[in-house]
Amino acid sequence: MEKATFGRRVAQAALAAAVGLGCAGSAAALALADSHAEATVACAAQKAGWKKSGGKWWYAHSGSGYAKGWEKIGGKWYLFDSAGWMKAGWQKVGKKWYYLKASGAMATGWQKVGKEWYWLGSDGAMRTGWQQVGKKWYYLEPSGAMAASKWVGDYYLTSSGAMATNAWVGKYWVGADGRWVKDHRSSETLKPAEPGKLVRGEKYDYFIAENKSDAGWISQNGFAPGAYVLLHSSEKASVPAMIQGHPVVGLSDVYCYSIPGAYQFHTVPAPKIARPDQLKFLQLLSVDPALLDLSKCASLEEFWSGKGKRLDLSNCKSLKELLCDYCGLTSLVLPRASSLEEVYCEGNQLTSLDVSDCPKLKWLHCGDNPFIAETKEDLLTWGEVAGHNLYMDE
C-alpha cells in the first residue's frame, strides 16, 4: 500500500512538473513518472493537439492540461482514462457499452466487430433486444450481437438479421407483424388475395391494382394503380403496355401464388417490355439487367436484381429503393440527384461505389464487398453524417 501510494505521488509530482515547465520540462517529468509502473500519466502540453508518448495517444489542451473522460475533438467523440490516455475497443462506461475504433473515435450505427454485427445508437451506446432500424426490425442478443437465421420466440430473423414478414419459413407462416401464425393453410389451397384479382395466363399471370394498397401483396411499399405482371414461363414473354385498360406498372419473376409472402421463384428469359417507362416496380431475380433497357425506366421506384455483373441505373431518377445483394456485381452506377433512399448491395464484387450525388440516400447496406481503400474511406465518411446509416465491414 505504501509503495503504491508513493508511486501515485510521484506521478502527481511529474504531472505538476510537466504542467509547470511546459514542453521544455515535460520530458524530464515523464522520465521520472515512467520509473514507477503505476505512475504513468499523459503529459500536458502548451499547444493543443494529439500527442503520442510511449506508444500511447493523448490530447493536449491549449496552454496546459489534457483530455480526460469523454471529449469531442474535430466533431468526433473520444474517451480518455483518468491519466489522459486515449481508449480504444469495447469500453464500459457506467452501465453502457461503447465501441471505440482503432482511431479512438466513438462508433455509431452498424459495426462489424470480429464476426458479429452490432447496432450502436446515435449516442454510441450498444443496443440489445428488439430494435427498429429504418423500416426493418432486428433482434440483438444480450451480448449485443445481431441474431440471424434463427427463431426468437414466434419471430424469425433472416440471414441479413432483418425480421421476416408475410413469408413462409419452412412450413411456418409469419404475418405482417412478423409473428408465426398457427395453423395457417398452405398457399396452394388459397384463393387469390383481395382486392387484386389474379388472372392466370400461359406465359404470365397478372392482377389489376385499383388502389395503391392493392399492390401490397407483391411489394411492401405498394404503388400506383395499374397492372402487375408475374412471369412464370420458360418461354420469352412479351409484356404489353396495357392490360384491360390499365398501364403495366409492375413486373416480377418472384411469383406470389395468392397471398402475401407465399413466394415461388421462376427462372425466366428476359421479357420484351412494350413500355418500360411506365414501370414503377421491377423484380427480376433470374434475368441479367444487361438484357433490359433500364435507360428507359425513368419512373422506376423499386428495383430488385438477382444476377448480373454490371448494373447501370443512371437514368432511373425516380428510384427510391434498390436491392441487389449477392448478385456477383462488379459495377454499380447509381442515379445522380435522384430520389434514392435505400441501397442494399451486400455480398458482391464491388471495388468502388459513388454515393456522393445521392442527396436523399439514408440507408446503405454494402458489406462483404472488396472496396478499395479510397472508396471505403469515402463511404465511412458518408456514414458519419447525421441521418446516414451505413452497414459495411470496417
Side-chain angles (χ1 to χ4, degrees):
M1 179 67 74
E2 292 180 358
K3 185 176 180 180
T5 301
F6 175 74
R8 285 194 291 273
R9 288 176 179 172
V10 171
Q12 293 168 357
L15 179 58
V19 173
L21 296 175
C23 292
S26 61
L30 282 176
L32 176 61
D34 285 341
S35 64
H36 299 273
E38 297 186 23
T40 306
V41 295
C43 168
Q46 290 182 337
K47 292 184 179 180
W50 286 101
K51 309 292 180 182
K52 192 173 186 180
S53 303
K56 298 180 180 180
W57 286 96
W58 55 284
Y59 189 81
H61 288 159
S62 179
S64 64
Y66 51 91
K68 291 188 290 185
W70 286 109
E71 183 139 346
K72 195 171 187 179
I73 303 170
K76 300 178 182 180
W77 284 99
Y78 297 84
L79 181 63
F80 301 85
D81 63 19
S82 59
W85 300 116
M86 184 193 79
K87 308 292 285 184
W90 286 110
Q91 300 294 329
K92 190 175 184 180
V93 181
K95 296 183 179 181
K96 298 180 179 180
W97 283 95
Y98 299 82
Y99 184 73
L100 307 172
K101 301 177 182 180
S103 66
M106 181 188 76
T108 59
W110 285 111
Q111 295 292 323
K112 190 174 186 180
V113 183
K115 295 182 179 180
E116 304 292 345
W117 282 98
Y118 299 83
W119 175 252
L120 309 172
S122 59
D123 61 350
M126 183 190 78
R127 301 295 196 256
T128 60
W130 286 104
Q131 300 290 330
Q132 186 174 17
V133 182
K135 298 178 182 178
K136 300 179 180 180
W137 282 93
Y138 298 82
Y139 182 79
L140 306 170
E141 306 284 2
S143 65
M146 181 191 76
S149 301
K150 64 178 291 186
W151 287 94
V152 175
D154 291 338
Y155 302 86
Y156 186 76
L157 288 314
T158 63
S159 58
S160 71
M163 180 186 75
T165 59
N166 287 332
W168 288 99
V169 181
K171 60 180 180 180
Y172 303 101
W173 172 260
V174 292
D177 62 353
R179 184 187 291 272
W180 166 52
V181 181
K182 187 177 181 181
D183 297 327
H184 194 81
R185 292 178 296 167
S186 171
S187 61
E188 287 87 344
T189 64
L190 297 180
K191 295 180 180 180
E194 296 290 344
K197 303 290 186 178
L198 188 68
V199 179
R200 304 285 184 175
E202 183 177 347
K203 294 184 179 180
Y204 60 82
D205 300 338
Y206 69 89
F207 71 94
I208 305 299
E210 296 179 351
N211 300 293
K212 183 174 181 178
S213 60
D214 293 353
W217 60 289
I218 188 172
S219 168
Q220 287 185 340
N221 298 328
F223 295 110
Y228 288 77
V229 170
L230 308 175
L231 302 171
H232 60 74
S233 175
S234 58
E235 297 182 25
K236 186 180 182 70
S238 293
V239 180
M242 306 282 285
I243 296 179
Q244 295 183 359
H246 296 272
V248 174
V249 296
L251 180 61
S252 175
D253 61 357
V254 180
Y255 178 73
C256 177
Y257 275 111
S258 56
I259 57 174
Y263 294 127
Q264 179 178 354
F265 298 91
H266 286 275
T267 300
V268 300
K272 180 180 180 181
I273 307 171
R275 289 288 303 275
D277 59 305
Q278 294 179 163
L279 292 177
K280 295 183 178 295
F281 175 75
L282 185 58
Q283 184 182 51
L284 294 177
L285 304 188
S286 65
V287 177
D288 189 333
L291 301 177
L292 304 172
D293 191 358
L294 295 177
S295 65
K296 296 180 180 179
C297 297
S299 299
L300 194 62
E301 295 181 8
E302 183 174 338
F303 181 40
W304 295 25
S305 179
K307 64 184 301 183
K309 295 295 184 181
R310 299 176 59 83
L311 183 56
D312 186 349
L313 300 169
S314 55
N315 288 332
C316 302
K317 303 296 185 180
S318 299
L319 191 66
K320 295 181 179 179
E321 184 174 347
L322 170 64
L323 294 91
C324 54
D325 294 332
Y326 300 95
C327 297
L329 284 177
T330 59
S331 174
L332 173 58
V333 180
L334 300 177
R336 296 183 176 276
S338 66
S339 302
L340 194 61
E341 299 174 359
E342 302 179 41
V343 173
Y344 302 87
C345 58
E346 297 179 270
N348 287 295
Q349 296 300 313
L350 299 173
T351 56
S352 63
L353 181 62
D354 184 9
V355 298
S356 61
D357 200 10
C358 299
K360 295 185 178 181
L361 185 63
K362 299 298 181 185
W363 296 94
L364 177 58
H365 287 221
C366 56
D368 297 329
N369 276 291
F371 292 125
I372 59 175
E374 182 180 356
T375 295
K376 183 172 287 190
E377 182 178 351
D378 290 342
L379 293 176
L380 288 173
T381 299
W382 177 91
E384 291 173 352
V385 175
H388 289 179
N389 297 274
L390 177 66
Y391 189 116
M392 183 181 74
D393 306 312
E394 284 218 23

